[in-house]
Amino acid sequence: MEVSRVASPTPAQFRAVHGDMEWWQAVDFEVYEHLVENEYVVAPRPRPEAAGDRLPPRKAPNPASGPASQGTP
């Protein structure tokens, strides 16, 4: 089975081709809804390739530097 390589139209392009929504059929609304949803899909964050690309690990706060250790009774 061959995968289609044709790019999907943007919602604006779809509206320009299909005209006024007043005359759309149910299938037109279904297609348009999917185009709008796909436009706002958030892509996953890329994985770091090297150890230097990673963020340093979080460190727990030092309890000795808290407000209790600053001479407060």
Side-chain angles (χ1 to χ4, degrees), residues 1-70:
M1 185 168 107
E2 187 176 323
V3 178
S4 174
R5 302 283 182 212
V6 177
S8 297
T10 65
Q13 291 169 332
F14 186 86
R15 286 191 316 269
V17 170
H18 288 84
D20 189 3
M21 293 172 109
E22 183 177 321
W23 304 105
W24 286 9
Q25 296 179 2
V27 69
D28 296 322
F29 284 104
E30 289 290 325
V31 171
Y32 182 74
E33 178 183 17
H34 288 289
L35 292 174
V36 171
E37 288 172 351
N38 289 338
E39 188 173 51
Y40 295 102
V41 171
V42 177
R45 291 177 50 185
R47 298 193 73 164
E49 297 297 325
D53 294 340
R54 295 189 182 129
L55 294 174
R58 290 186 175 184
K59 295 181 181 179
N62 184 355
S65 66
S69 66
Q70 296 177 1

